[in-house]
Amino acid sequence: LVYADWDLRVDRTFILEATKVNGRALEFAHFEELIRDEELLSAAAHQLLDSLDKQRGPELEFTLAALSRLVHQGCATQIVSAHEQLLKCIVVNKLDHRTRIVVQALFGTLTQYAGAMLFHVAQCASTDDKDDAGSWLRGCAIDILLHWFMEDRQVFCSSAGHRAAILLAIGLQERIEMVGQGSSPSKKGEVSIKTATMLEEVMYFLSEE
């Protein structure tokens, strides 16, 4: 589509068909009206979500980044409904730090809708070590919960939220203990103080609740 003629890049029918093949095609449409078209946006989100299981590496990163942009264009609800699939990306792409960062960034854009995802993210944060070698999924879930907590702790003002906050506190405490076992003294101090401060905030919230 990058090389398509102007006439095609402003043709709604063509853009719709191209978007059904690759959701990122919508980004190359030339008219603002097309980029804001609800049907086109929905088609883009659907195609990108549908392709997650088949992608790896940079291709997956581009797709996740495109989904993050679609959140701000009115597709948040559609993407939230697929949050379990997004969490699965972390499991399937274990040890891929770049994918982990992009997935976490996508969940970060969805803070406003965190309540609908809290149960499954908290479930990941309580994954047993035998099912999560290296605590990869658990660590990512803790990062997502922490981001949501720092952005809007009202999300945690429910029974499910309290459970999630407890799991977050446990995860932060474990990180403090892990840092104490490695790294240089200066690194230990810096990380421990930052994490301890966050843990203190979570514990204060729980005591107030």
Side-chain angles (χ1 to χ4, degrees), residues 18-200:
T19 299
K20 288 178 180 178
V21 175
N22 186 332
R24 294 177 59 213
L26 183 57
E27 298 178 6
F28 297 96
H30 252 296
F31 281 157
E32 195 70 23
E33 290 80 0
L34 292 177
I35 297 174
R36 294 179 179 176
D37 187 297
E38 290 186 9
E39 184 184 2
L40 293 177
L41 288 168
S42 179
H46 178 79
Q47 193 283 324
L48 292 170
L49 290 168
D50 195 47
S51 65
L52 287 176
D53 295 340
K54 312 175 192 116
Q55 297 178 343
R56 299 289 183 276
E59 184 181 16
L60 177 58
E61 292 166 33
F62 289 138
T63 294
L64 292 166
L67 286 169
S68 289
R69 292 189 288 275
L70 286 173
V71 168
H72 301 295
Q73 293 176 281
C75 295
T77 303
Q78 191 173 352
I79 295 169
V80 166
S81 66
H83 69 274
E84 289 182 76
Q85 187 180 0
L86 295 172
L87 290 170
K88 184 180 175 184
C89 284
I90 302 167
V91 179
V92 174
N93 295 276
K94 265 186 179 177
L95 306 182
D96 187 335
H97 291 278
R98 290 172 63 93
T99 295
R100 173 173 171 163
I101 290 170
V102 182
V103 171
Q104 288 178 188
L106 175 52
F107 274 96
T109 66
L110 296 166
T111 301
Q112 182 181 347
Y113 309 88
M117 302 179 284
L118 204 54
F119 174 81
H120 288 111
V121 175
Q123 198 171 43
C124 292
S126 63
T127 306
D128 193 285
D129 286 344
K130 66 181 181 182
D131 299 318
D132 183 27
S135 298
W136 182 257
L137 177 60
R138 189 177 180 189
C140 188
I142 292 296
D143 285 336
I144 293 169
L145 290 175
L146 180 59
H147 178 89
W148 287 346
F149 184 83
M150 301 307 290
E151 285 288 309
D152 182 13
R153 55 197 65 184
Q154 286 297 113
V155 169
F156 295 80
C157 294
S158 65
S159 56
H162 295 161
R163 177 176 180 271
I166 290 170
L167 290 167
L168 173 57
I170 293 171
L172 291 173
Q173 180 60 47
E174 288 177 343
R175 287 185 180 182
I176 293 173
E177 293 170 0
M178 285 176 64
V179 169
Q181 297 171 8
S183 304
S184 63
S186 60
K187 180 76 172 176
K188 284 181 187 178
E190 181 184 337
V191 175
S192 293
I193 291 171
K194 185 177 179 182
T195 307
T197 301
M198 293 173 181
L199 175 58
E200 190 176 316

